[in-house]
């Protein structure tokens, strides 16, 4: 009896379970979602970080390593081995991977919105605005031509208008976060090119998102344009709702989170939930969940600690773990092997040429119309051609919406990678801004013309250093009517790999080097402290900000000192005093910053060991009562310290004591140096000036101390241990004063002893190195300088 066989239904693979029972239960953990996801995350993060390390000498942004890493993990390289894909990235795991990657991307776009200040865009100058429009318009127009060619060759069967918009956005976009990091890495943020590029890129970023929303609305599966109109209208309604409903709610939470108090956990939870809800709404509308998160980030108030705490809570997890997954997800869709044959490679060259030509030529022409020099205009055009994460988002949305096929997608990904990769080397080759200022003579405190203006560059890491700095400035201002004091107060900020480093870059202002905030109503506590002091005293104070990696921030300091014609750079010591009196290091990187400044400084340098000079608050002039001690052994650094002390002695609240050490006659000295007579003459000259000052002022005195051993030096210094401040020459010709070897050669022997907790817990120390125009003393190894100072004394002294 014959039977009719029933048609077999297609067999779907069972969904992956979350966790396994373990290898001992004879189960492969990689067949389960959670263990496999952990392996994928570890592999992606490790691989991209390794590539970032390898590309660091080329000064490439990390996004380059992440894009390359994603491509290499995909079918273009490792993914060519099917077994690798089946084990590590099986198709049944891609839904989980893509979902987690998109959640990370959702919060990353929220961070981007947090860091984008609409008020700053409103203040963008006309020139920057027009340059930004030109940098968008010309590539967009050229993208029309490129889209026609691609659509007729490799991307057939797609709606012409939708493909045109996607191509226009892909070619005209500028990656604002990537551009900001490149500018900071190349130290161009403070230049005219950097300022214009930042302003134009911010405008470009907002316009690109608007164009992308339009492209997504047009790319729906329904061919009716009425649906696209409804999508755009609903998207507009969502933005209006966010501004008039969500923003007041977020503003209330921001106002209830004042400075100095922790932000409530409830507020953080509500905000992060609002981000998800906004993403859901925009996804329902049909313009992608990313837009909702981006809009919420933009409308959050930027004043106060609320926005900063939000960034701090989520940035490391999002940018460190989740975001690389998105690059991996994108790389798994990119198959460079689809670009084969002369036609495909010719199209790749065409797209790259169109993108570069449109951006660079459009920007250069408009910039030159505004009288920007050609070299600067060219550098600006290359910088505006930077692509990044937003570019990948555009391309992935286009691929998911079936607007871009595999070959077009691969071509555009390689275009984004190439244009970003060439940015740094081309800008470094064509644009080399002058780092040095005009020559000037007053590069040290000791000078012939005492009525000339004294300029100091005072650096600090945090608010902890500010009271001591202001009290030191108050003590230094003297009483001369002509010889006023001008202070450049520089806040040193580390540019890290974190995304919130971009929010620090927003501190870049239109004037000053590196930056001086002139925006009215700014609530920066550091700026307020210095400006309040400036209004009370006849001292010019200009707050500045240096934002750089710690391994190169000394270049910002030295360049600023040279261009501002400073006579002294004051650097904070890399250790601060704890409550129990011991010194705690801020980190070895800060230690190296001070050593590099000493080597490369264009003027004198002082390292301030802060033990609360004048207490933890600013002291008014009438209450200043400091005892300042200058140990004088005889050297150019000692002369500089004494010159500074003599200027401080002009303040009525300062008592200056000079401890003049001279070797006992029976002390055996090393053979005298050839220039010892000249040095001794200079020592006698400044000592004569000091004696004249002491005769006219009762607050100035000196003690002559004969030394035969280091115990004599220690006893003399200990007798003054209750003093407020010690001014010490760095290369004072004294022997080590401690049996323990010092780990701080930049302080010299005397400074190291005074800075130890064995000596005092109340006396601050300023260790001074005088600028030497005859030899570049700053280039000499620090230990060599200390060894040289030893040779001027015998083994016993």
């Amino acid at each position: 009896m014959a039977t009719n066989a029933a048609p077999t239904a297609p067999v779907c693979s069972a969904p992956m379970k979350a966790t396994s029972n373990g290898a001992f239960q004879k189960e492969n953990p990689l067949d389960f979602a959670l263990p496999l996801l952990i392996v994928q995350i570890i592999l992606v993060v490790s691989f991209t970080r390794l590539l970032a390390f390898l590309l660091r000498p080329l000064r490439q942004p990390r996004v380059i390593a992440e894009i390359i890493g994603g491509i290499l993990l995909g079918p273009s390289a490792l993914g060519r081995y099917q077994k690798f894909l089946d084990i590590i990235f099986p198709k049944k795991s891609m839904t989980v991977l893509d979902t987690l990657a998109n959640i990370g991307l959702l919060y990353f776009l929220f961070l981007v919105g947090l860091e984008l200040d609409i008020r700053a865009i409103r203040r963008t100058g006309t020139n920057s605005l027009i340059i930004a429009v030109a940098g968008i318009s010309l590539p967009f127009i050229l993208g029309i031509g490129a889209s026609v060619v691609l659509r007729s060759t490799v991307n057939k069967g797609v709606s012409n208008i939708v493909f045109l918009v996607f191509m226009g956005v892909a070619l005209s976009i500028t990656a604002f976060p990537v551009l900001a990091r490149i500018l900071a890495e190349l130290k161009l943020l403070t230049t005219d090119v950097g300022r214009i590029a930042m302003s134009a890129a911010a405008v470009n970023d907002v316009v690109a998102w608007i164009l992308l929303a339009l492209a997504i609305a047009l790319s729906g599966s329904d061919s009716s344009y009425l649906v696209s109109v409804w999508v755009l209208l609903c998207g507009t309604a969502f933005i209006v709702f966010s501004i008039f409903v969500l923003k007041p709610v977020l503003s209330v939470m921001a106002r209830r989170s004042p400075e100095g108090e922790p932000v409530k956990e409830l507020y953080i939870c509500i905000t992060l939930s609002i981000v998800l809800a906004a993403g859901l709404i925009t996804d329902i509308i049909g313009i992608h969940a990313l837009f909702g998160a981006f809009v919420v980030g933009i409308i959050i108030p930027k004043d106060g600690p609320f926005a900063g705490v939000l960034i701090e809570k989520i940035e490391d997890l999002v940018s460190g773990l989740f975001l690389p997954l998105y690059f991996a997800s994108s790389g798994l869709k990119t198959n460079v092997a689809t670009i084969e044959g002369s036609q495909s490679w010719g199209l790749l060259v065409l797209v790259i040429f169109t993108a570069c030509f449109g951006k660079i030529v459009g920007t250069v022409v408009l910039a030159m119309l505004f009288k920007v020099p050609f070299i600067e205009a060219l550098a600006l055009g290359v910088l505006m051609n930077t692509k990044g994460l937003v570019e990948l988002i555009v391309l992935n949305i286009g691929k998911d919406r079936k607007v871009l096929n595999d070959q077009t997608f691969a071509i555009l990904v390689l275009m984004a990678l190439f244009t970003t990769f060439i940015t740094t080397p081309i800008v470094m080759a064509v644009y080399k801004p002058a780092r040095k200022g005009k020559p000037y003579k007053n590069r040290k405190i000791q000078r012939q013309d005492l009525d000339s203006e004294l300029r100091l560059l005072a650096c600090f890491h945090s608010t902890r250093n500010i009271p001591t700095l202001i009290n030191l400035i108050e003590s230094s201002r003297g009483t001369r009517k002509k010889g006023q004091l001008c202070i450049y107060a520089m806040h040193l900020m580390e540019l890290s790999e974190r995304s919130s480093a971009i929010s620090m870059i927003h501190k870049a202002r239109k004037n000053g080097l590196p930056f001086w905030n002139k925006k009215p109503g700014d609530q920066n506590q550091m700026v307020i402290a210095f400006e309040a002091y400036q209004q009370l005293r006849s001292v010019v104070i200009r707050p500045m900000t240096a934002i750089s990696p710690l391994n190169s921030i000394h270049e910002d300091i030295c360049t600023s000192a040279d261009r501002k014609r400073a006579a002294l750079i004051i650097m904070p010591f890399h250790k601060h005093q704890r409550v129990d009196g011991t010194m705690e290091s801020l980190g070895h990187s800060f230690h190296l910053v001070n050593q590099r400044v000493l080597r490369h400084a264009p003027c004198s340098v002082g390292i301030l060991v802060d033990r609360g000079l004048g207490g933890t608050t600013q002291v008014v002039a009438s209450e200043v009562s400091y005892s300042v001690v200058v140990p004088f052994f005889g050297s150019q650094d000692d002369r500089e310290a004494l010159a500074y002390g003599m200027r401080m002695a002009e303040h009525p609240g300062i008592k200056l004591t000079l401890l003049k050490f001279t070797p006992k006659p029976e002390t055996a000295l090393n053979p005298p140096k050839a220039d010892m007579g000249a040095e001794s003459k200079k020592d006698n000259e400044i000592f004569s000036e000091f004696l004249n000052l002491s005769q006219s002022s009762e607050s100035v005195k000196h003690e002559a101390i004969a030394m035969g051993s280091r115990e004599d030096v220690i006893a003399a210094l200990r007798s003054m241990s209750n003093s407020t401040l010690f001014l010490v020459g760095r290369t004072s010709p004294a022997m080590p004063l401690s049996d323990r070897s010092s780990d701080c050669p930049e302080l010299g022997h005397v400074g190291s002893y005074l800075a130890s907790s064995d000596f005092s817990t109340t006396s601050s120390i300023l260790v001074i190195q005088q600028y030497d125009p005859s030899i570049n003393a700053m280039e000499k190894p620090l230990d060599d300088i200390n060894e040289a100072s030893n040779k001027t004394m015998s083994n016993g002294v």
Side-chain angles (χ1 to χ4, degrees):
M1 181 176 173
T3 57
N4 293 328
T8 57
V11 179
C12 297
S13 59
M16 298 179 75
K17 292 183 179 180
T19 58
S20 72
N21 292 320
F24 292 110
Q25 300 294 330
K26 298 183 179 180
E27 290 184 347
N28 183 0
L30 296 184
D31 290 335
F32 296 83
L34 181 60
L36 180 58
L37 181 63
I38 292 173
V39 170
Q40 290 170 342
I41 292 175
I42 292 172
L43 174 64
V44 170
V45 172
S46 303
F47 190 56
T48 54
R49 291 286 176 162
L50 175 62
L51 287 175
F53 176 76
L54 296 176
L55 290 173
R56 188 178 297 171
L58 300 178
R59 306 181 78 171
Q60 293 294 333
R62 197 172 79 193
V63 68
I64 289 289
E66 290 170 330
I67 294 175
I68 294 175
I71 293 174
L72 293 179
L73 288 172
S76 302
L78 295 175
R80 295 178 71 89
Y81 303 98
Q82 191 59 40
K83 194 170 183 180
F84 170 79
L85 283 183
D86 292 341
I87 294 174
I88 305 298
F89 296 106
K91 289 184 178 180
K92 59 184 179 180
S93 74
M94 294 312 295
T95 301
V96 175
L97 179 66
D98 287 345
T99 301
L100 191 61
N102 276 279
I103 288 177
L105 188 63
L106 193 79
Y107 279 112
F108 183 80
L109 266 295
F110 169 64
L111 290 175
V112 172
L114 269 177
E115 294 171 345
L116 198 61
D117 192 348
I118 296 297
R119 294 174 301 180
I121 294 177
R122 288 200 210 105
R123 293 193 299 269
T124 298
T126 306
N127 294 5
S128 298
L129 185 61
I130 294 176
I131 290 172
V133 172
I136 296 171
S137 303
L138 186 56
F140 198 96
I141 294 170
L142 293 177
I144 296 174
S147 68
V148 172
V149 176
L150 286 170
R151 189 168 176 269
S152 63
T153 52
V154 297
N155 208 81
K156 299 177 181 179
V158 183
S159 170
N160 190 26
I161 295 179
V162 175
F163 185 55
L164 183 153
V165 175
F166 264 99
M167 282 296 298
V169 173
L171 266 62
S172 62
I173 209 165
T174 297
F176 175 74
V178 179
L179 172 65
R181 198 170 295 282
I182 289 175
L183 287 171
E185 182 70 25
L186 298 181
K187 300 190 181 300
L188 299 179
L189 280 169
T190 61
T191 63
D192 290 337
V193 168
R195 178 178 59 80
I196 297 172
M198 285 287 288
S199 300
V203 175
N204 190 302
D205 215 29
V206 174
V207 174
W209 281 104
I210 296 171
L211 291 175
L212 181 57
L214 175 64
I216 292 174
L218 293 173
S219 64
S221 58
D222 195 314
S223 59
S224 172
Y225 286 108
L226 185 60
V227 174
S228 299
V229 172
W230 275 111
V231 170
L232 290 174
L233 288 176
C234 290
T236 305
F238 169 75
I239 293 175
V240 173
F241 173 80
S242 300
I243 294 173
F244 292 102
V245 178
L246 290 183
K247 187 174 182 180
V249 173
L250 294 167
S251 298
V252 169
M253 290 190 288
R255 285 196 301 270
R256 293 185 178 182
S257 305
E259 291 279 0
E261 295 184 13
V263 177
K264 292 183 179 179
E265 184 268 343
L266 178 63
Y267 294 166
I268 302 294
C269 183
I270 291 174
T271 304
L272 298 183
S273 299
I274 288 175
V275 173
L276 293 175
L280 174 63
I281 292 171
T282 51
D283 190 77
I284 292 172
I285 291 172
I287 54 172
H288 210 286
L290 301 179
F291 283 92
F294 182 68
V295 170
V296 173
I298 286 179
I299 63 175
I300 285 183
K302 305 302 186 290
D303 299 325
F306 189 60
V309 170
L310 285 170
I311 293 174
E312 183 181 328
K313 292 286 184 184
I314 65 175
E315 65 171 340
D316 288 338
L317 182 64
V318 169
S319 61
L321 285 183
F322 292 160
L323 201 57
L325 295 183
Y326 187 78
F327 289 100
S329 174
S330 176
L332 289 169
K333 301 173 189 175
T334 307
N335 190 357
V336 178
T338 59
I339 308 175
E340 56 183 359
S342 57
Q343 184 190 69
S344 296
W345 287 105
L347 289 173
L348 174 61
V349 173
L350 172 67
V351 170
I352 291 175
F353 175 79
T354 304
C356 296
F357 183 84
K359 269 287 184 187
I360 296 174
V361 172
T363 304
V364 168
V365 171
L366 262 294
M368 291 185 68
L369 287 178
F370 290 115
K371 299 182 179 179
V372 176
F374 173 73
I375 294 297
E376 294 186 9
L378 180 60
L380 182 60
V382 174
L383 288 165
M384 293 299 290
N385 199 32
T386 303
K387 313 294 182 188
L389 176 64
V390 179
E391 175 83 3
L392 279 190
I393 294 172
V394 172
L395 299 182
N396 276 279
I397 292 175
K399 192 170 190 306
D400 294 339
R401 300 276 175 136
K402 310 298 183 185
V403 177
L404 307 175
N405 61 20
D406 289 347
Q407 191 171 348
T408 308
F409 180 77
I411 288 173
L412 292 174
V413 168
L414 291 184
M415 177 272 294
L417 181 64
F418 179 80
T419 54
T420 306
F421 191 90
I422 65 173
T423 299
T424 298
I426 290 180
V427 172
M428 290 177 65
V430 303
Y431 185 60
K432 299 175 181 177
R435 293 294 181 189
K436 292 189 176 182
K438 297 178 180 178
Y440 66 101
K441 64 177 182 178
N442 290 327
R443 296 180 180 268
K444 47 191 178 182
I445 298 173
Q446 187 183 7
R447 59 186 68 177
Q448 297 296 325
D449 184 10
L450 298 179
D451 288 332
S452 59
E453 183 183 49
L454 178 61
R455 297 188 170 205
L456 306 183
L457 178 65
C459 302
F460 59 96
H461 295 301
S462 65
T463 53
R464 181 200 303 267
N465 310 123
I466 290 180
T468 291
L469 270 183
I470 291 181
N471 291 333
L472 182 64
I473 293 167
E474 168 62 28
S475 306
S476 309
R477 65 187 179 92
T479 56
R480 298 186 185 92
K481 293 182 179 180
K482 293 182 180 180
Q484 289 190 343
L485 189 63
C486 179
I487 305 294
Y488 294 92
M490 178 179 282
H491 184 197
L492 305 179
M493 301 180 72
E494 179 185 6
L495 179 67
S496 67
E497 286 291 339
R498 289 175 167 172
S499 58
S500 64
I502 310 304
S503 61
M504 289 198 304
I505 291 171
H506 282 303
K507 296 177 182 293
R509 307 304 174 190
K510 292 185 178 180
N511 295 308
L513 181 74
F515 316 121
W516 179 21
N517 178 10
K518 288 188 173 181
K519 185 179 70 175
D522 193 295
Q523 297 302 310
N524 188 314
Q525 292 181 344
M526 302 179 189
V527 175
I528 290 174
F530 285 112
E531 289 184 346
Y533 174 75
Q534 177 180 236
Q535 293 175 0
L536 296 173
R537 303 286 179 268
S538 59
V539 176
V540 178
I541 298 185
R542 296 180 180 173
M544 304 164 68
T545 305
I547 305 175
S548 282
L550 288 181
N551 61 3
S552 63
I553 201 169
H554 67 282
E555 296 175 12
D556 298 64
I557 297 168
C558 296
T559 301
S560 298
D562 190 61
R563 298 186 68 171
K564 299 303 182 185
R565 305 195 300 278
L568 178 68
I569 300 172
I570 299 177
M571 294 294 299
F573 189 44
H574 72 281
K575 296 181 181 180
H576 66 87
Q577 184 168 271
R578 299 170 59 180
V579 177
D580 59 1
T582 59
M583 302 297 285
E584 182 179 44
S585 175
L586 297 174
H588 185 60
S589 297
F590 293 96
H591 190 189
L592 294 178
V593 169
N594 288 351
Q595 295 187 1
R596 293 187 187 109
V597 170
L598 284 167
R599 291 190 185 102
H600 302 287
C603 59
S604 296
V605 181
I607 296 179
L608 179 61
V609 182
D610 181 8
R611 286 186 172 134
L613 178 63
T616 57
T617 57
Q618 177 185 332
V619 178
V620 297
S622 59
E623 296 179 0
V624 170
S625 179
Y626 302 153
S627 54
V628 179
V629 178
V630 181
F632 189 87
F633 297 86
S635 69
Q636 64 177 17
D637 292 348
D638 281 3
R639 294 193 293 272
E640 188 78 347
L642 181 55
Y644 192 27
M646 291 165 64
R647 180 178 177 100
M648 295 179 72
E650 296 177 7
H651 194 290
I654 300 294
K655 294 182 179 179
L656 177 66
T657 302
L658 173 68
L659 299 181
K660 190 172 189 300
F661 292 91
T662 54
K664 291 181 179 178
E666 64 273 14
T667 302
L669 292 175
N670 288 333
K673 293 183 179 181
D675 61 346
M676 185 167 287
E679 288 293 306
S680 179
K681 182 179 179 181
K682 293 177 181 177
D683 291 342
N684 293 333
E685 288 175 357
I686 194 169
F687 185 63
S688 298
E689 295 176 15
F690 174 82
L691 290 177
N692 293 334
L693 177 64
S694 64
Q695 292 173 0
S696 60
S697 174
E698 296 181 356
S699 61
V700 178
K701 61 179 182 178
H702 79 280
E703 296 180 17
I705 299 172
M707 58 178 181
S709 65
R710 72 177 184 181
E711 283 72 21
D712 295 336
V713 178
I714 292 173
L717 294 175
R718 282 196 173 277
S719 68
M720 309 298 293
S721 60
N722 292 327
S723 301
T724 312
L725 176 68
F726 281 82
L727 299 177
V728 186
R730 181 170 164 263
T731 56
S732 296
M735 75 303 291
L737 300 182
S738 175
D739 294 329
R740 295 188 299 242
S741 60
S742 173
D743 60 346
C744 304
E746 69 274 16
L747 297 184
H749 296 315
V750 178
S752 295
Y753 173 71
L754 295 175
S756 66
S757 53
D758 296 337
F759 175 73
S760 172
T761 58
T762 57
S763 301
S764 297
I765 303 105
L766 183 64
V767 180
I768 298 177
Q769 171 182 276
Q770 186 182 62
Y771 173 72
D772 189 343
S774 61
I775 58 172
N776 192 356
M778 279 64 86
E779 294 290 351
K780 295 173 66 177
L782 296 175
D783 292 326
D784 291 349
I785 294 178
N786 282 333
E787 291 298 323
S789 68
N790 289 342
K791 293 180 181 179
T792 60
M793 301 295 290
S794 67
N795 293 331
V797 178

